[in-house]
PDB file of all heavy atoms in Angstrom:
ATOM      1  N   TYR A 326      32.498  70.294  57.681  1.00 94.00           N
ATOM      2  CA  TYR A 326      33.397  69.861  58.780  1.00 94.00           C
ATOM      3  C   TYR A 326      34.229  68.620  58.319  1.00 94.00           C
ATOM      4  O   TYR A 326      35.134  68.243  58.998  1.00 94.00           O
ATOM      5  CB  TYR A 326      32.589  69.589  60.009  1.00 94.00           C
ATOM      6  CG  TYR A 326      31.282  68.872  59.769  1.00 94.00           C
ATOM      7  CD1 TYR A 326      31.168  67.488  59.439  1.00 94.00           C
ATOM      8  CD2 TYR A 326      30.135  69.656  59.834  1.00 94.00           C
ATOM      9  CE1 TYR A 326      29.933  66.987  59.196  1.00 94.00           C
ATOM     10  CE2 TYR A 326      28.924  69.100  59.551  1.00 94.00           C
ATOM     11  CZ  TYR A 326      28.771  67.770  59.250  1.00 94.00           C
ATOM     12  OH  TYR A 326      27.550  67.237  59.025  1.00 94.00           O
ATOM     13  N   ASN A 327      33.976  68.104  57.077  1.00 96.00           N
ATOM     14  CA  ASN A 327      34.753  66.931  56.624  1.00 96.00           C
ATOM     15  C   ASN A 327      35.615  67.286  55.435  1.00 96.00           C
ATOM     16  O   ASN A 327      36.358  66.495  54.890  1.00 96.00           O
ATOM     17  CB  ASN A 327      33.832  65.819  56.208  1.00 96.00           C
ATOM     18  CG  ASN A 327      33.282  65.071  57.371  1.00 96.00           C
ATOM     19  OD1 ASN A 327      33.864  64.970  58.396  1.00 96.00           O
ATOM     20  ND2 ASN A 327      32.064  64.598  57.249  1.00 96.00           N
ATOM     21  N   LEU A 328      35.611  68.544  54.975  1.00 96.00           N
ATOM     22  CA  LEU A 328      36.314  68.829  53.697  1.00 96.00           C
ATOM     23  C   LEU A 328      37.836  68.785  53.876  1.00 96.00           C
ATOM     24  O   LEU A 328      38.514  68.307  53.012  1.00 96.00           O
ATOM     25  CB  LEU A 328      35.911  70.307  53.275  1.00 96.00           C
ATOM     26  CG  LEU A 328      34.564  70.348  52.651  1.00 96.00           C
ATOM     27  CD1 LEU A 328      34.194  71.835  52.317  1.00 96.00           C
ATOM     28  CD2 LEU A 328      34.532  69.506  51.344  1.00 96.00           C
ATOM     29  N   ASP A 329      38.378  69.213  55.002  1.00 95.00           N
ATOM     30  CA  ASP A 329      39.857  69.154  55.191  1.00 95.00           C
ATOM     31  C   ASP A 329      40.325  67.748  55.059  1.00 95.00           C
ATOM     32  O   ASP A 329      41.353  67.483  54.326  1.00 95.00           O
ATOM     33  CB  ASP A 329      40.270  69.750  56.544  1.00 95.00           C
ATOM     34  CG  ASP A 329      40.232  71.202  56.580  1.00 95.00           C
ATOM     35  OD1 ASP A 329      40.056  71.852  55.516  1.00 95.00           O
ATOM     36  OD2 ASP A 329      40.390  71.820  57.721  1.00 95.00           O
ATOM     37  N   ILE A 330      39.748  66.797  55.701  1.00 96.00           N
ATOM     38  CA  ILE A 330      40.198  65.496  55.735  1.00 96.00           C
ATOM     39  C   ILE A 330      39.908  64.852  54.366  1.00 96.00           C
ATOM     40  O   ILE A 330      40.717  63.961  53.834  1.00 96.00           O
ATOM     41  CB  ILE A 330      39.604  64.614  56.865  1.00 96.00           C
ATOM     42  CG1 ILE A 330      40.473  63.332  57.112  1.00 96.00           C
ATOM     43  CG2 ILE A 330      38.206  64.292  56.730  1.00 96.00           C
ATOM     44  CD1 ILE A 330      41.836  63.591  57.616  1.00 96.00           C
ATOM     45  N   SER A 331      38.816  65.177  53.699  1.00 97.00           N
ATOM     46  CA  SER A 331      38.544  64.645  52.381  1.00 97.00           C
ATOM     47  C   SER A 331      39.557  65.076  51.356  1.00 97.00           C
ATOM     48  O   SER A 331      39.988  64.248  50.524  1.00 97.00           O
ATOM     49  CB  SER A 331      37.111  64.999  51.988  1.00 97.00           C
ATOM     50  OG  SER A 331      36.148  64.373  52.784  1.00 97.00           O
ATOM     51  N   VAL A 332      39.934  66.354  51.428  1.00 97.00           N
ATOM     52  CA  VAL A 332      40.960  66.829  50.518  1.00 97.00           C
ATOM     53  C   VAL A 332      42.273  66.078  50.759  1.00 97.00           C
ATOM     54  O   VAL A 332      42.941  65.602  49.839  1.00 97.00           O
ATOM     55  CB  VAL A 332      41.193  68.328  50.666  1.00 97.00           C
ATOM     56  CG1 VAL A 332      42.454  68.822  49.962  1.00 97.00           C
ATOM     57  CG2 VAL A 332      39.950  69.089  50.144  1.00 97.00           C
ATOM     58  N   LEU A 333      42.723  65.951  51.985  1.00 96.00           N
ATOM     59  CA  LEU A 333      43.948  65.323  52.368  1.00 96.00           C
ATOM     60  C   LEU A 333      43.992  63.874  51.805  1.00 96.00           C
ATOM     61  O   LEU A 333      44.915  63.434  51.198  1.00 96.00           O
ATOM     62  CB  LEU A 333      44.137  65.257  53.866  1.00 96.00           C
ATOM     63  CG  LEU A 333      45.322  64.491  54.437  1.00 96.00           C
ATOM     64  CD1 LEU A 333      46.614  65.232  54.056  1.00 96.00           C
ATOM     65  CD2 LEU A 333      45.221  64.301  55.918  1.00 96.00           C
ATOM     66  N   LEU A 334      42.932  63.093  52.062  1.00 97.00           N
ATOM     67  CA  LEU A 334      42.882  61.728  51.660  1.00 97.00           C
ATOM     68  C   LEU A 334      42.749  61.593  50.135  1.00 97.00           C
ATOM     69  O   LEU A 334      43.440  60.752  49.568  1.00 97.00           O
ATOM     70  CB  LEU A 334      41.663  61.004  52.342  1.00 97.00           C
ATOM     71  CG  LEU A 334      41.814  60.859  53.849  1.00 97.00           C
ATOM     72  CD1 LEU A 334      40.574  60.258  54.478  1.00 97.00           C
ATOM     73  CD2 LEU A 334      43.047  60.005  54.293  1.00 97.00           C
ATOM     74  N   ALA A 335      41.947  62.340  49.525  1.00 98.00           N
ATOM     75  CA  ALA A 335      41.775  62.297  48.068  1.00 98.00           C
ATOM     76  C   ALA A 335      43.104  62.623  47.365  1.00 98.00           C
ATOM     77  O   ALA A 335      43.448  61.998  46.443  1.00 98.00           O
ATOM     78  CB  ALA A 335      40.597  63.137  47.648  1.00 98.00           C
ATOM     79  N   LYS A 336      43.737  63.729  47.794  1.00 98.00           N
ATOM     80  CA  LYS A 336      44.984  64.126  47.227  1.00 98.00           C
ATOM     81  C   LYS A 336      46.039  62.997  47.394  1.00 98.00           C
ATOM     82  O   LYS A 336      46.793  62.728  46.413  1.00 98.00           O
ATOM     83  CB  LYS A 336      45.489  65.443  47.855  1.00 98.00           C
ATOM     84  CG  LYS A 336      46.775  65.969  47.197  1.00 98.00           C
ATOM     85  CD  LYS A 336      47.254  67.193  47.748  1.00 98.00           C
ATOM     86  CE  LYS A 336      48.496  67.743  47.137  1.00 98.00           C
ATOM     87  NZ  LYS A 336      49.482  66.834  46.666  1.00 98.00           N
ATOM     88  N   CYS A 337      46.095  62.437  48.544  1.00 97.00           N
ATOM     89  CA  CYS A 337      47.074  61.357  48.833  1.00 97.00           C
ATOM     90  C   CYS A 337      46.801  60.188  47.832  1.00 97.00           C
ATOM     91  O   CYS A 337      47.684  59.626  47.254  1.00 97.00           O
ATOM     92  CB  CYS A 337      46.827  60.882  50.253  1.00 97.00           C
ATOM     93  SG  CYS A 337      47.877  59.423  50.636  1.00 97.00           S
ATOM     94  N   ALA A 338      45.590  59.814  47.703  1.00 98.00           N
ATOM     95  CA  ALA A 338      45.229  58.716  46.783  1.00 98.00           C
ATOM     96  C   ALA A 338      45.596  59.032  45.333  1.00 98.00           C
ATOM     97  O   ALA A 338      46.210  58.209  44.682  1.00 98.00           O
ATOM     98  CB  ALA A 338      43.732  58.447  46.839  1.00 98.00           C
ATOM     99  N   LYS A 339      45.353  60.264  44.902  1.00 98.00           N
ATOM    100  CA  LYS A 339      45.716  60.652  43.518  1.00 98.00           C
ATOM    101  C   LYS A 339      47.266  60.711  43.352  1.00 98.00           C
ATOM    102  O   LYS A 339      47.759  60.258  42.324  1.00 98.00           O
ATOM    103  CB  LYS A 339      45.092  62.047  43.197  1.00 98.00           C
ATOM    104  CG  LYS A 339      43.607  62.045  43.114  1.00 98.00           C
ATOM    105  CD  LYS A 339      43.076  61.091  42.180  1.00 98.00           C
ATOM    106  CE  LYS A 339      43.314  61.416  40.731  1.00 98.00           C
ATOM    107  NZ  LYS A 339      42.630  60.423  39.803  1.00 98.00           N
ATOM    108  N   ASP A 340      47.899  61.176  44.372  1.00 98.00           N
ATOM    109  CA  ASP A 340      49.390  61.208  44.316  1.00 98.00           C
ATOM    110  C   ASP A 340      50.027  59.776  44.232  1.00 98.00           C
ATOM    111  O   ASP A 340      51.078  59.621  43.699  1.00 98.00           O
ATOM    112  CB  ASP A 340      49.995  61.893  45.595  1.00 98.00           C
ATOM    113  CG  ASP A 340      49.826  63.366  45.532  1.00 98.00           C
ATOM    114  OD1 ASP A 340      49.375  63.948  44.480  1.00 98.00           O
ATOM    115  OD2 ASP A 340      50.013  64.011  46.646  1.00 98.00           O
ATOM    116  N   LEU A 341      49.266  58.793  44.669  1.00 98.00           N
ATOM    117  CA  LEU A 341      49.705  57.374  44.599  1.00 98.00           C
ATOM    118  C   LEU A 341      49.168  56.701  43.365  1.00 98.00           C
ATOM    119  O   LEU A 341      49.335  55.535  43.137  1.00 98.00           O
ATOM    120  CB  LEU A 341      49.222  56.569  45.867  1.00 98.00           C
ATOM    121  CG  LEU A 341      49.881  57.014  47.163  1.00 98.00           C
ATOM    122  CD1 LEU A 341      49.234  56.331  48.359  1.00 98.00           C
ATOM    123  CD2 LEU A 341      51.369  56.592  47.124  1.00 98.00           C
TER     124      LEU A 341
END
Side-chain angles (χ1 to χ4, degrees):
Y326 38 79
N327 286 328
L328 285 175
D329 285 351
I330 198 68
S331 293
V332 169
L333 174 72
L334 294 173
K336 183 180 182 323
C337 174
K339 294 306 287 185
D340 288 348
L341 291 170

